[in-house]
Amino acid sequence: KDDEGCSFTNPIAENNQQQVTSLKPNHHFMIKIKTTILSLMTLFPIIEVWSQKPYQWTDELKLLKRIDLLPEYRTGTYVESFSSYDRKHGNDDGFDGTYSYLRKENGKLVIAEMNGPGVIERIWTPTPNDNMLYFYFDGQKKPSISIKFSDLFSGKVFPFVKPICGNEIGGYYCYIPITYAKSCKILYDGPKLEFIQVEYRKLDGMKVETFMQRASSKAELEQVLAVDNLWSASSYSPTLFASSASAGFETKEQTITIQPGETKTFFEKYQGGRIVGLEIDAGTAFEGKNKDIILSAKWDDEVLEAIYAPLADFFGYAFGKPAMRSLLAGRQQTINYCYLPMPYDNSAKLSLVYKKRDSQQSPITARIKVYFTNTKRNPQREGKLYCIWRNEKTPLGVYHTFLKAEGKGHYVGTILSAQGLQPGMTLFFEGDDSTYIDGKMRIHGTGSEDYFNGGWYAQLDRWDRGVSLPLHGSLDYSLPMARTGGYRWFLNDKMPFEHHIYHGMEHGPQNNDFPVNYTSLAFYYSSTPPNERMIPTEEARTIYSPTRHVYFPQQFNVTLGQGGVCVFGKGLAIDTPSSGTVKLSLDDVPEGKYRLLLNYKSNNHGADVQIWQRQKLIADWFSTKGDKNEEKREVHVGDINLTSQTNSVTFHIRKNDNANKLELMLVTLERINEPK
């Protein structure tokens, strides 16, 4: 149509040029057409859904490997969850199953119910079993998925394969997306369900293909295999993520030496582009109790740095040691790496800042590689990467804040190191995470290790040590040092916000009642830069070391000598037919002089005990026999000098009449302050 009228072209005519009809202007006719077009425009959202390509579960699955897409916004959608958290703000987050279901239907428990279109992005539990789960899609009367709860994570049922689904560090997780066109309802066939989290995202305005448990096509198999291969990789490099705007990257490589008090810029560009990856190799120079090297990044003409954090924290070190080796960032061999895409508009500047302190510091030499392209950010579609570092002795009664931000964007990652400020069990990890986005609580977790896809801290072969997986892991776990930490990356389940976000963690079973020192890094993409940052003071850059250390029976490291039999329960029971020996390793604790304190049971079964530190006698024979059953607390049995070669004590046990048992409840080391 033009000012002269309308013409229609015959699509079959050669070169599509033949005019078959020509109409002169007819104003009444034109007004009628315009009115009809305006009426049809109100139906455009429906027409768009009819005409668009269906959104399949494999479209969601690819997000688990397309790291290059992380900066892209998700407009008009939110990640939300069903969770077993205690609605009364206590600590019954699944133990009794009180809040683990919505209602009962025909003897089954409804554990989640979503209106669509949408997708389930993550399912987590530390308590799977062989009871059945039934997924009802789109109002259907029969379930489309019938599966044992345990087989969501076992790897036995396609497409719920490992490592996209699996278990480690005490938690069972499933990241296979489950799409639905209209609705989804999940029923659990059992009398009780314990801890559970189901995270989902609405896909409003999209034509979504409902997930079906059926024989898979070749394309679907290839997509699952591609994610599986990436997550199973033994090492990572930027070539794994070089798609779309990250493709065809260049490499800038240099070696720098930095002195205390200096700032060295190692990458600077004054045109739009994006950083695809960053690698820094300084051997073991970033290890140790002093985190004095700061990683700094500035985008465009922004006032504050987008990244300003101790380098060791940024790459997931745990209390002075490398710990994280994830898909997106960490350390492999001596290379610290980060492959989070970092798009910018006009300029980028990356630097190392070496903070001075009063004690002696050595120069550090680092070999650095920056991978980048000249494909600048698309402001309508992408955010810039920001990282908020915090270190605080979190006040009682107050949540630790990972991120509080304004603007448009999405949250993509958390790294947390947690140091208890009183000796004993790590009860601060009972705290729940909570997320408020655009005026509504969207997600509420069931415990700190649960947030990191783990479970059951201080339990054997659960959350009991550092373990790295592609998207999550435990950084460390030490009861004697009262510390732990974890990390989690959000890929398909990144959390979008249109206006503002609050994301934080409780410390303690309830009411934020446990004293703790948290160091956290929150990674997010946003249209709006941060308006404040925390300064890494010398105290905040120095790893805290407690002076009192408690060893609990569930993590005793014992070696049996002749004649000793150990039984673990609430304590360590050591039986002997006549005499025997048991060695207890005192791991994790710094070298120094300590008072050795014991908690043990005194009763009519109590044997005689003698304690040695290798060939040095610490405590001569004493009896644990008593007329009544009671626990003797913090009995000072002697002092020891702890080194890497003398970090153990040996208990010699002998029968006292018919009494032949030592019931050891706790072992405590209390540092002796030596004169300076």
Side-chain angles (χ1 to χ4, degrees), residues 456-609:
W456 307 118
Y457 63 80
Q459 299 297 315
L460 185 65
D461 290 336
R462 270 78 172 182
W463 189 280
D464 65 343
R465 65 181 59 196
V467 176
S468 275
L469 299 169
L471 295 191
H472 66 273
S474 167
L475 294 175
D476 187 23
Y477 190 80
S478 173
L479 273 175
M481 298 296 287
R483 62 175 49 153
T484 187
Y487 67 89
R488 178 176 165 196
W489 300 108
F490 302 76
L491 298 187
N492 64 327
D493 57 337
K494 63 187 184 184
M495 296 186 287
F497 53 95
E498 296 294 330
H499 306 292
H500 52 83
I501 180 173
Y502 172 83
H503 188 48
M505 183 70 77
E506 183 186 26
H507 50 104
Q510 55 191 13
N511 302 322
N512 294 288
D513 57 3
F514 199 101
V516 64
N517 185 352
Y518 277 147
T519 299
S520 66
L521 295 96
F523 296 81
Y524 68 108
Y525 289 88
S526 179
S527 62
T528 306
N531 56 19
E532 62 179 0
R533 64 168 168 83
M534 184 171 284
I535 301 297
T537 64
E538 183 170 328
E539 181 183 3
R541 301 194 315 269
T542 305
I543 295 169
Y544 172 84
S545 183
T547 58
R548 189 175 169 91
H549 313 275
V550 182
Y551 292 84
F552 287 78
Q554 58 262 50
Q555 289 205 311
F556 278 170
N557 182 3
V558 299
T559 304
L560 291 177
Q562 293 183 345
V565 177
C566 294
V567 179
F568 288 87
K570 292 184 178 179
L572 172 64
I574 306 170
D575 291 354
T576 180
S578 58
S579 65
T581 57
V582 173
K583 183 172 72 175
L584 173 64
S585 295
L586 303 174
D587 302 318
D588 292 347
V589 172
E591 294 186 354
K593 292 184 178 180
Y594 295 91
R595 301 174 74 234
L596 179 63
L597 310 174
L598 304 182
N599 286 25
Y600 61 86
K601 284 289 186 68
S602 175
N603 52 41
N604 58 8
H605 301 295
D608 291 342
V609 179

Side-chain angles (χ1 to χ4, degrees), residues 193-210:
L193 182 67
E194 295 180 314
F195 300 86
I196 186 71
Q197 295 177 19
V198 178
E199 291 181 8
Y200 65 97
R201 185 174 93 253
K202 283 191 174 182
L203 298 171
D204 290 336
M206 301 183 70
K207 184 179 180 181
V208 177
E209 181 182 76
T210 297

Side-chain angles (χ1 to χ4, degrees), residues 120-169:
I120 298 172
E121 296 175 316
R122 170 182 173 264
I123 300 175
W124 166 93
T125 183
T127 51
N129 53 49
D130 288 342
N131 291 334
M132 295 297 292
L133 284 182
Y134 300 103
F135 291 73
Y136 291 82
F137 295 127
D138 308 334
Q140 295 177 350
K141 300 299 183 182
K142 293 184 178 181
S144 296
I145 303 177
S146 301
I147 189 172
K148 289 181 181 179
F149 189 19
S150 57
D151 279 340
L152 277 181
F153 322 103
S154 68
K156 297 178 181 178
V157 179
F158 188 87
F160 304 103
V161 296
K162 293 186 175 182
I164 310 171
C165 306
N167 69 290
E168 240 302 349
I169 52 176

